[in-house]
Amino acid sequence: MEKYIPQEIEKKWQKKWQDDKSDRCPDDNGKPPYYVLEMFPYPSGNLHMGHVRNYTIGDVIARYRRMNGYNVLHPMGYDAFGMPAENAAIKHNIPPKDWTYSNIENMTRQQKELGLSYDWDREVATCHEKYYKWTQWIFELLYKRGLAYRKEAKVNWCEKCNTVLANEQVIDGKCWRCDTPVVKKDLKQWFFKITDYADRLLDDLKLLPGWPDRVKTMQKNWIGRSEGAEFSFDIPEIGKKIPMFSTRVDTIFGVTYIVLAPEHPYVEELIKGKENETELRSFITRMKNMNDMDRTSNDAEKEGMFTGAYAVNPVNKEKVPVWIANYVLVDYGTGAVMGVPGHDQRDWEFAKKFNLPIRLVIQNKEKNLDLDTMEGAYHDAGTLVNSGEFDGLTDEEARSAITKWLIDRQLGKGTVNFKLRDWLISRQRYWGAPIPVIYCEKCGEQLVPEEQLPVRLPEDVKFTAGAVSPLATSENFVHCTCPKCGGPAVRETDTMDTFVCSSWYYLRYTDARNDEQPWDVKKANHWMNVDQYIGGIEHAILHLMYSRFFMKVFHDAGLVEALEPFERLLTQGMVLMDGSKMSKSKGNVVSPEEILAKYGADTGRLFILFAAPPERDLEWSEQGVEGAYRFLNRVWRVVHQYIELTANGTAGGSDYTEDEKALRFQEYKSVAKVTEDVKGIDGSYALNTAVSAIMEFVNAMSAYAGKNQTICKAAAIEANTNLIKLLAPFTPHIAEELWQIAGFAGSVHDQKWPETDSQALIVDEIELPIQINGKVRERITISVDCDVEELKSRVMELPRVKEFTEGKTIFKFIVVPKKIINIVVK
């Protein structure tokens, strides 16, 4: 028997699979289609263990589905635009394109060394002009459908570098290049009108039973649909009305102040000429330059200043002070909120800090709420008090009644609000898809004609501080001709957010080499939607939300039938080392190449699948890796043992010995378990217990070979056949090698998945544990047809049972069929 040398075996089969294009997926070969997709990586240079886990899970599912008769689309590509390439260009003085494609080449090699069954003929890279041509085409599609627009928006600005910074370039409030404090600046930016689809994005979550509830809840909260009332507070001092939106209009009589966002358009008028105007302006500047997340976090300290102005409550005409505070954002709701400290904890904390009045307007059912003894806001259900004509109504009744009161007096209306904001896609950087818009002084903004796409990235750019975007440094790029009048014009120098590129790539895979359109509608409808999507929970909101938005736009445009891009979603857990996520900064990274060099790809795959359920975090263990390697060596030996047993075996038939029956029982028990666990239900897979079931089968094969010198040839061949087939999706190289060594025809990956032999799972006898007063004292093997009285008689004759029951009274004799016998004595 040859020694198991994984490195030799794996290189051999990887070359053959590549030469034969074994994993190439035809568009339609008559088999039912199945689309397995893992989120494609950013080409940073090297795979990490998180990648390995993601791709291995997908590969198991893809290989399993092929063996079950499906035509499986299993592609891979690269999300290749983004800041790291631009940073590398600045740091190493190399073009971003060169850095990116060098990394793609290396990561492709690493993926092939893992034995991943991708159709590499469908590979895409979002930075390739044949891809971003269609990203630009999609921008124009949205523009024509009224879903792309340009407006002023706040950006991060470095005064020293005189440039815009992405959020990722702002570190601790400072420019990543020069450490200058970053300020906010208004610039014209491009947006996609995702808010037009807010209701559909929310409602269609019900079409996704195969998504984790956690992810759907995160999306629901991000969309943030809320029903309430819209009304205004007058500010006599400036003669303006401040619009408000609230889901708790029932608490409007409890308003003791209102708060405006520091950026609110009325703030300038309110503070002008005030004694503390300088102090107010300093506060406003500081708030504007804070990150929105920092401002609104529950843990953030509440900061505010009184403007010196007062507003009038529309329901009771009471004057309340107008404040500005950090926790109100200008682009959420109306940029103003009413302060009801008695019934909102955030307002309570603000009022306590600044000594503002607190009023109780909702009383609980026990009627024992008292502001003198309350330690926080009361926000549960109750009855209105101190609310004029609405006293005595429940809070729910009051919401309807007060809204009607406002409508009747033309002071307000019922309305729906969303937390979701339009998608800002402008990026002031080079390495991205150029926005295909031209500006003409005579004709205004114009789309680049479709026949002129792609708008290519120029190479004569300077990555120096001082430019709004490196694209602006290319004279050849900036200056162009207006497509409408033929006069001089200039190009847009912003590029698109990389999320735009990754929000449609799953459709490009269905028709990756089409130069005439982004995809053929017929092909897309054949494959879509993705049957199983796999990726990290960190993409639960933005990437998945944007992809869902794009899919609905494409559906409305008649480009695809499906309404949702991903039928089932699996969010795999992280790979940890000593309880922490692997990262270079922590020095706890294990390189996939180290594992491949020492143990081989199959060992790495097996460990990462066996160590934890797919959706749970996985703790890296060198001992676990070694254990997986030992197991594959054991598989190697046991298959060779059964080849020898087959050569010396008996003709046999269906009249198996008891040991052969026991072997076949475990064999088909494992087949049934692995099938159930890898098939997955609504995206839930138990790949770790599937591996465990294979291990139990190997144990049974080893135990039989250790006890018996002969075997029925058919049983031996059957055992080897099924073991190798079960292993094939998990450890494809050793399975392919053993399939050949065992003398079986073709490739194991082209074989039919084993079916469960129900006859092999029928047992004549069963062993039951006997528990006396809660402790197992004995076991008995009986016929499955044995009745209770006969069973009781046989149990009571057992010496160990007699020992523990003699001289005692039997209170209970309970038989749980096929499980356990319980005896209670005193």
Side-chain angles (χ1 to χ4, degrees):
M1 179 175 65
E2 297 176 7
K3 186 180 178 184
Y4 172 50
I5 305 175
Q7 292 80 0
E8 293 180 6
I9 292 169
E10 290 172 4
K11 284 180 182 177
K12 165 187 165 183
W13 288 112
Q14 286 162 13
K15 183 178 187 307
K16 180 163 178 54
W17 295 335
Q18 191 171 336
D19 291 346
D20 294 348
K21 293 200 171 184
S22 302
D23 301 314
R24 186 174 176 275
C25 174
D27 286 322
D28 188 357
N29 60 1
K31 296 179 180 180
Y34 196 89
Y35 191 170
V36 182
L37 182 62
E38 302 99 68
M39 294 180 185
F40 61 174
Y42 179 78
S44 57
N46 287 291
L47 296 182
H48 56 67
M49 280 301 172
H51 289 130
V52 174
R53 189 178 193 197
N54 185 0
Y55 307 151
T56 303
I57 292 168
D59 198 51
V60 170
I61 296 167
R63 290 182 181 278
Y64 166 81
R65 288 286 174 175
R66 287 194 197 99
M67 294 177 75
N68 276 275
Y70 289 90
N71 183 27
V72 177
L73 177 56
H74 188 213
M76 179 47 65
Y78 297 93
D79 191 9
F81 276 136
M83 277 188 53
E86 201 158 329
N87 293 345
I90 295 167
K91 185 175 179 181
H92 303 295
N93 195 29
I94 58 171
K97 182 178 179 181
D98 294 352
W99 185 85
T100 301
Y101 279 108
S102 173
N103 290 346
I104 286 174
E105 184 180 353
N106 186 55
M107 291 175 73
T108 300
R109 174 187 61 79
Q110 290 179 313
Q111 290 182 82
K112 287 178 178 177
E113 287 176 356
L114 285 166
L116 302 167
S117 58
Y118 294 131
D119 180 354
W120 286 105
D121 286 351
R122 294 177 185 262
E123 178 188 353
V124 301
T126 60
C127 66
H128 195 288
E129 63 182 49
K130 287 190 175 182
Y131 184 94
Y132 71 72
K133 168 185 178 177
W134 299 113
T135 302
Q136 293 171 342
W137 184 90
I138 288 166
F139 173 93
E140 297 197 353
L141 173 74
L142 269 69
Y143 186 95
K144 292 169 185 175
R145 297 182 70 83
L147 295 170
Y149 66 95
R150 192 171 178 239
K151 72 169 185 178
E152 278 207 345
K154 295 190 181 302
V155 295
N156 302 309
W157 183 262
C158 176
E159 295 285 1
K160 184 174 181 181
C161 297
N162 192 35
T163 189
V164 172
L165 303 176
N167 287 335
E168 300 91 336
Q169 292 175 311
V170 181
I171 301 169
D172 296 329
K174 297 178 182 178
C175 173
W176 68 283
R177 284 196 189 113
C178 66
D179 284 337
T180 300
V182 171
V183 297
K184 295 284 186 178
K185 185 172 182 176
D186 288 321
L187 278 184
K188 283 195 172 180
Q189 307 275 280
W190 281 96
F191 291 81
F192 285 158
K193 201 177 286 186
I194 191 173
T195 51
D196 277 13
Y197 283 76
D199 270 321
R200 287 170 64 182
L201 287 167
L202 185 63
D203 293 344
D204 286 356
L205 288 171
K206 67 178 181 292
L207 303 178
L208 302 171
W211 282 39
D213 288 339
R214 176 186 176 194
V215 174
K216 289 189 284 188
T217 298
M218 290 168 76
Q219 292 226 343
K220 182 178 179 182
N221 292 340
W222 188 262
I223 296 166
R225 185 183 193 277
S226 53
E227 294 186 20
E230 197 172 283
F231 46 89
S232 298
F233 276 63
D234 286 329
I235 304 184
E237 182 178 317
I238 59 172
K240 299 281 178 69
K241 293 179 180 293
I242 299 282
M244 297 275 180
F245 170 83
S246 178
T247 60
R248 293 298 307 273
V249 72
D250 53 306
T251 65
I252 194 169
F253 285 87
V255 175
T256 59
Y257 63 95
I258 68 168
V259 182
L260 305 184
E263 304 88 349
H264 195 286
Y266 293 172
V267 166
E268 177 63 31
E269 291 181 72
L270 289 172
I271 67 171
K272 194 170 184 180
K274 294 290 193 299
E275 286 184 13
N276 61 341
E277 181 180 346
T278 302
E279 188 182 353
L280 282 163
R281 289 191 184 282
S282 176
F283 174 78
I284 290 166
T285 300
R286 186 163 60 85
M287 292 302 104
K288 284 181 177 180
N289 291 329
M290 282 181 67
N291 181 285
D292 288 352
M293 294 293 287
D294 293 338
R295 277 173 57 176
T296 57
S297 166
N298 289 333
D299 299 328
E301 182 183 354
K302 308 298 181 286
E303 297 187 67
M305 286 191 72
F306 176 39
T307 64
Y310 289 84
V312 179
N313 189 325
V315 296
N316 59 11
K317 304 306 177 185
E318 182 179 323
K319 283 189 173 183
V320 293
V322 179
W323 284 66
I324 48 178
N326 60 339
Y327 65 83
V328 181
L329 303 178
V330 71
D331 59 354
Y332 180 62
T334 64
V337 299
M338 58 185 201
V340 187
H343 305 286
D344 182 284
Q345 187 60 30
R346 181 189 59 185
D347 295 345
W348 173 281
E349 292 169 8
F350 191 82
K352 285 290 185 181
K353 179 174 180 177
F354 296 104
N355 200 28
L356 293 165
I358 300 176
R359 185 176 299 148
L360 187 71
V361 294
I362 306 284
Q363 181 59 263
N364 64 15
K365 63 180 181 180
E366 292 82 11
K367 302 192 184 320
N368 60 4
L369 289 178
D370 186 340
L371 287 174
D372 292 335
T373 58
M374 287 170 61
E375 295 181 354
Y378 178 76
H379 45 73
D380 293 329
T383 304
L384 265 65
V385 295
N386 302 319
S387 300
E389 65 187 85
F390 303 102
D391 281 357
L393 295 180
T394 65
D395 54 299
E396 192 173 336
E397 292 168 341
R399 280 193 280 277
S400 298
I402 295 174
T403 301
K404 184 178 184 304
W405 188 92
L406 290 166
I407 293 170
D408 290 346
R409 289 156 182 76
Q410 297 185 330
L411 295 173
K413 62 181 180 178
T415 189
V416 173
N417 199 17
F418 290 92
K419 183 179 175 184
L420 183 68
R421 290 287 159 268
D422 279 343
W423 176 8
L424 192 162
I425 66 154
S426 290
R427 295 295 181 269
Q428 292 73 30
R429 39 183 202 248
Y430 167 78
W431 195 235
I435 294 174
V437 172
I438 289 170
Y439 302 107
C440 172
E441 285 191 8
K442 182 180 177 182
C443 305
E445 77 188 25
Q446 301 291 318
L447 291 177
V448 173
E450 283 185 23
E451 63 272 14
Q452 293 180 22
L453 297 179
V455 177
R456 291 179 176 84
L457 281 168
E459 297 189 2
D460 60 336
V461 296
K462 296 182 179 67
F463 296 100
T464 55
V468 172
S469 163
L471 287 179
T473 67
S474 170
E475 292 291 326
N476 292 330
F477 176 83
V478 172
H479 298 289
C480 62
T481 301
C482 174
K484 187 174 181 182
C485 71
V490 295
R491 292 191 188 279
E492 171 63 71
T493 58
D494 284 353
T495 55
M496 286 184 244
D497 178 10
T498 56
F499 277 117
V500 179
C501 306
S502 62
S503 294
W504 71 279
Y505 78 112
Y506 47 89
L507 279 158
R508 184 61 177 174
Y509 283 139
T510 68
D511 197 12
R513 299 295 171 259
N514 193 330
D515 291 332
E516 304 301 318
Q517 52 191 334
W519 60 83
D520 178 88
V521 174
K522 185 178 178 182
K523 290 181 180 179
N525 288 337
H526 175 73
W527 287 111
M528 291 300 294
N529 47 15
V530 175
D531 292 280
Q532 183 63 66
Y533 197 38
I534 307 164
I537 192 73
E538 67 272 18
H539 300 293
I541 296 176
L542 297 183
H543 165 61
L544 291 172
M545 184 78 76
Y546 295 152
S547 297
R548 295 181 63 224
F549 164 55
F550 267 32
M551 193 70 172
K552 294 179 192 309
V553 174
F554 299 149
H555 171 85
D556 292 351
L559 297 172
V560 68
E561 289 177 356
L563 285 167
E564 289 287 336
F566 314 119
E567 181 76 12
R568 283 176 291 278
L569 173 69
L570 189 159
T571 53
Q572 90 280 357
M574 295 187 297
V575 180
L576 310 177
M577 172 75 86
D578 300 324
S580 299
K581 182 181 178 181
M582 285 188 179
S583 70
K584 290 180 182 177
S585 61
K586 292 178 181 175
N588 64 349
V589 173
V590 176
S591 165
E593 295 204 348
E594 292 175 34
I595 302 303
L596 266 60
K598 188 173 180 181
Y599 299 105
D602 283 342
T603 291
R605 289 172 60 119
L606 190 70
F607 165 73
I608 219 158
L609 293 166
F610 178 59
E615 70 281 358
R616 300 282 294 276
D617 289 345
L618 179 155
E619 182 70 35
W620 186 264
S621 162
E622 189 68 29
Q623 292 79 11
V625 177
E626 289 173 357
Y629 182 65
R630 286 195 301 272
F631 172 71
L632 290 181
N633 274 279
R634 193 172 182 214
V635 167
W636 183 266
R637 291 192 300 272
V638 84
V639 169
H640 280 82
Q641 281 181 297
Y642 273 68
I643 293 170
E644 291 175 14
L645 283 171
T646 302
N648 302 318
T650 60
S654 58
D655 189 18
Y656 298 108
T657 67
E658 291 303 314
D659 283 351
E660 287 169 348
K661 285 180 182 177
L663 172 64
R664 296 186 77 249
F665 175 80
Q666 183 57 60
E667 176 180 346
Y668 284 103
K669 184 180 173 185
S670 294
V671 168
K673 177 64 175 165
V674 176
T675 302
E676 179 186 346
D677 290 348
V678 184
K679 184 178 183 181
I681 300 171
D682 290 337
S684 179
Y685 297 88
L687 304 183
N688 58 317
T689 56
V691 173
S692 182
I694 295 172
M695 290 176 172
E696 289 176 10
F697 180 23
V698 171
N699 288 343
M701 288 176 70
S702 184
Y704 180 95
K707 185 179 176 183
N708 298 275
Q709 299 300 311
T710 60
I711 191 173
C712 165
K713 282 188 178 182
I717 293 171
E718 177 187 52
N720 261 352
T721 301
N722 285 335
L723 172 61
I724 299 169
K725 284 182 179 180
L726 292 180
L727 279 168
F730 299 88
T731 54
H733 308 90
I734 192 173
E736 191 79 290
E737 181 73 9
L738 289 173
W739 188 258
Q740 303 302 314
I741 290 172
F744 302 134
S747 166
V748 67
H749 302 293
D750 294 334
Q751 306 308 308
K752 187 178 178 183
W753 186 256
E755 294 181 3
T756 303
D757 184 342
S758 56
Q759 291 299 310
L761 295 175
I762 297 173
V763 292
D764 299 323
E765 293 184 328
I766 190 169
E767 183 185 81
L768 296 178
I770 301 169
Q771 193 168 272
I772 301 173
N773 285 355
K775 290 188 178 181
V776 175
R777 302 295 188 180
E778 182 61 285
R779 295 176 182 274
I780 186 170
T781 300
I782 58 159
S783 165
V784 291
D785 300 324
C786 182
D787 63 43
V788 174
E789 288 305 317
E790 182 187 348
L791 173 60
K792 185 174 180 180
S793 174
R794 287 185 57 187
V795 166
M796 297 311 296
E797 290 299 316
L798 294 171
R800 287 276 288 168
V801 173
K802 285 183 176 181
E803 179 186 337
F804 285 98
T805 60
E806 218 160 31
K808 297 176 182 176
T809 303
I810 296 175
F811 279 85
K812 291 181 181 177
F813 189 100
I814 303 166
V815 179
V816 181
K818 299 183 180 180
K819 293 282 182 71
I820 196 169
I821 298 165
N822 276 315
I823 302 173
V824 180
V825 298
K826 282 191 179 179

